[in-house]
């Protein structure tokens, strides 16, 4: 059963495909639906965040209208993110609005990235709107450490959320940000936990986005370093599987499960980048590692929104950079001022 729809949806006439200046066709949209979150992960947010005024944030209807422009331009996969997408009031309405595009075959997939705290409440409803996969962020299986990383999160709520998602029939992938220190020994437990439940685990290299009050140069753990140490304990068999994203996968022979590595700083996936990101205020980012953004909100709230938003997107794609430009090391951090929660990873 679908949730009630408040605005008309339907099969779309298509527009010329969204192609950037290097011929890369954009088929994947990551859409942030809020900058707010119920957690404050140290690598992502400052403890005392100032969130956006509500009138700056796109309404659910505006988010849907925006998504529809991308769908008409050939986007086939939409991932909702945040902040925490499930803390957005009435978020199921947006999933319900997108559902007909899944039914109609214009979209292959609608997914979300979540911290999992509200999955026990939402998993069944998400499944009912056509969601089949979720990414859940989980950096530790130790309740104390989880609380320290998230500043106040409760591990048990996430574990219950993961169970609820699996019971509802959702495929779950875990994401963990690799960090120097405890994480290096705990990662083995995360592998066992994920693979024991049929979930992929993807390790993400920390990105220098926003001041969060923690010293990234101390926490940054290069994934090539972690991978070498994992290879001393596990048999990592390289595989070609690509999920359309930047992760490179290996199969862990001992568990049979997949382990992914996302090394955003290495830029080794930029050449095939098929994605754009839109913030919850309608800022279009054609590259995650670049500060440049094109505001779509005004056009979205003006006359003939779909045509005007469409041409702004096409202009911006004409300037999509070939690759990103940030770096981090123990000595130097050359980062980007915005927080990850603005764009949602
Ligand atoms: N709240 C949701 C969650 O945590 O999954 C969705 C938004 S969160 C910003 C998306 C992803 O970005 C999470 O997997 C999180 O671990 C990751 N992330 C946040 N800040 C990061 C950073 N500085 N470097 C790398 N990954 C980061
Ligand atoms: Fe919230 Fe996700 Fe950022 Fe953690 S990573 S503070 S859960 S938005």
């Amino acid at each position: 059963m679908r949730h009630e729809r408040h605005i008309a949806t339907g099969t779309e006439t298509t527009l010329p495909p969204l192609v950037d200046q290097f011929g890369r066709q954009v088929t994947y949209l990551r859409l942030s639906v809020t900058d707010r979150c119920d957690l404050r992960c140290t690598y992502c947010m400052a403890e005392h965040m100032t969130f956006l005024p509500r009138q700056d944030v796109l309404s659910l209807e505006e988010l849907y209208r925006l998504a529809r422009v991308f769908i008409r331009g050939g986007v086939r996969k939409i991932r909702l993110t945040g902040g925490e997408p499930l803390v957005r009031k009435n978020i199921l309405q947006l999933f319900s609005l997108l559902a007909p595009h899944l039914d109609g075959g214009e979209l292959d997939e609608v997914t979300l990235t979540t911290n999992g705290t509200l999955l026990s409440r939402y998993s069944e409803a998400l499944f009912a709107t056509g969601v089949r996969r979720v990414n859940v962020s989980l950096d530790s299986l130790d309740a104390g450490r989880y609380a320290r990383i998230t500043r106040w999160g409760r591990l048990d709520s996430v574990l219950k959320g993961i169970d609820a998602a699996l019971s509802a029939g959702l495929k779950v992938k875990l994401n963990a940000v690799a960090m120097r220190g405890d994480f290096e020994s705990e990662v083995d437990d995360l592998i066992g936990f994920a693979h024991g439940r049929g979930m992929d685990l993807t390790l993400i290299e920390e990105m220098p986005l926003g001041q969060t009050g923690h010293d990234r140069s101390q926490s940054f753990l290069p994934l090539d370093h972690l991978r070498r140490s994992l290879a001393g304990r596990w048999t990592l068999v390289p595989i070609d599987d690509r999920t359309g994203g930047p992760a490179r996968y290996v199969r862990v022979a001992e568990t049979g499960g997949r382990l992914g590595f996302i090394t955003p700083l290495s830029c080794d996936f930029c050449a095939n980048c098929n994605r754009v990101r839109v913030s919850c205020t309608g800022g279009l980012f054609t590259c995650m590692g670049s500060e440049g953004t094109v505001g779509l909100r005004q056009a979205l709230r003006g006359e003939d929104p779909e045509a005007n938003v469409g041409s702004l997107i096409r202009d911006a794609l004409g300037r999509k950079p070939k690759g990103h430009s940030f770096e981090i090391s123990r000595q130097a951090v050359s980062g980007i001022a915005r927080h990850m929660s603005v764009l949602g990873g």
Side-chain angles (χ1 to χ4, degrees):
M1 192 192 64
R2 302 280 188 220
H3 289 267
E4 195 184 345
R5 290 166 201 141
H6 294 277
I7 60 176
T9 62
T11 310
E12 302 300 332
T13 48
T14 53
L15 293 173
L18 297 169
V19 179
D20 76 5
Q21 56 172 330
F22 302 103
R24 295 172 296 192
Q25 188 181 342
V26 172
T27 54
Y28 179 14
L29 168 66
R30 291 178 80 108
L31 183 57
S32 174
V33 299
T34 179
D35 65 327
R36 287 159 202 261
C37 186
D38 52 348
L39 303 180
R40 295 288 184 278
C41 304
T42 49
Y43 47 74
C44 177
M45 288 194 184
E47 183 164 5
H48 302 288
M49 290 288 287
T50 307
F51 292 109
L52 293 161
R54 284 193 197 276
Q55 67 272 18
D56 288 359
V57 175
L58 299 182
S59 68
L60 292 175
E61 182 178 342
E62 287 168 337
L63 286 165
Y64 171 63
R65 257 197 264 133
L66 190 55
R68 212 167 54 180
V69 176
F70 281 98
I71 294 169
R72 293 182 70 193
V75 158
R76 305 226 27 111
K77 175 172 168 179
I78 297 180
R79 177 176 295 279
L80 300 190
T81 177
E84 172 49 41
L86 296 181
V87 303
R88 174 82 196 243
K89 198 170 166 207
N90 298 327
I91 188 61
L92 286 176
Q93 280 179 14
L94 182 57
F95 285 99
S96 298
L97 289 166
L98 292 170
H101 299 277
L102 286 169
D103 296 342
E106 296 140 357
L107 281 179
D108 295 327
E109 192 171 42
V110 175
T111 56
L112 77 154
T113 301
T114 173
N115 61 29
T117 58
L118 294 172
L119 272 179
S120 23
R121 193 187 305 169
Y122 283 120
S123 288
E124 287 188 7
L126 288 169
F127 190 90
T129 62
V131 175
R132 293 293 175 265
R133 294 194 308 140
V134 293
N135 285 2
V136 178
S137 304
L138 179 63
D139 301 319
S140 176
L141 290 168
D142 177 90
R145 187 159 174 272
Y146 180 82
R148 280 196 297 283
I149 297 171
T150 58
R151 291 206 176 90
W152 54 66
R154 291 187 41 172
L155 179 67
D156 61 340
S157 68
V158 183
L159 297 183
K160 276 189 199 135
I162 291 171
D163 284 345
L166 293 171
S167 308
L170 296 168
K171 198 161 165 43
V172 179
K173 177 166 87 71
L174 295 188
N175 286 335
V177 175
M179 280 165 278
R180 194 177 290 277
D182 292 341
F183 182 85
E184 292 173 81
S185 49
E186 232 197 297
V187 64
D188 290 351
D189 292 341
L190 274 171
I191 293 173
F193 173 79
H195 293 178
R197 287 162 181 74
M199 306 184 286
D200 288 347
L201 171 67
T202 297
L203 306 174
I204 308 174
E205 208 165 63
E206 184 176 346
M207 286 178 261
L209 297 176
Q211 294 295 328
T212 65
H214 103 127
D215 182 356
R216 295 190 197 280
S217 65
Q218 294 305 308
S219 63
F220 181 64
L221 174 62
L223 276 189
D224 55 354
H225 174 101
L226 181 61
R227 185 170 169 159
R228 271 196 302 278
S229 94
L230 283 169
R233 305 189 295 277
W234 303 89
T235 313
L236 307 181
V237 185
I239 45 177
D240 274 344
D241 301 17
R242 300 297 298 260
T243 53
R248 299 269 187 264
Y249 282 96
V250 296
R251 191 160 301 283
V252 179
E254 289 79 358
T255 62
R258 288 197 309 176
L259 180 64
F261 297 86
I262 298 185
T263 50
L265 306 174
S266 68
C267 199
D268 61 354
F269 56 84
C270 294
N272 299 316
C273 181
N274 65 347
R275 57 187 58 195
V276 293
R277 297 169 162 82
V278 177
S279 72
C280 59
T281 56
L284 170 67
F285 294 77
T286 56
C287 173
M288 142 156 262
S290 129
E291 294 272 23
T293 173
V294 173
L296 304 176
R297 186 180 59 203
Q298 206 181 340
L300 204 54
R301 290 180 175 173
E303 293 286 309
D304 200 1
E306 296 204 7
N308 291 330
V309 168
S311 54
L312 283 174
I313 296 171
R314 280 168 206 284
D315 284 355
L317 282 177
R319 298 189 301 277
K320 179 169 160 73
K322 199 165 188 180
H324 61 59
S325 54
F326 45 38
E327 61 181 72
I328 188 171
S329 71
R330 276 176 80 78
Q331 291 77 32
V333 178
S334 119
I336 288 186
R338 91 179 108 77
H339 290 93
M340 179 68 111
S341 52
V342 172
L343 264 191

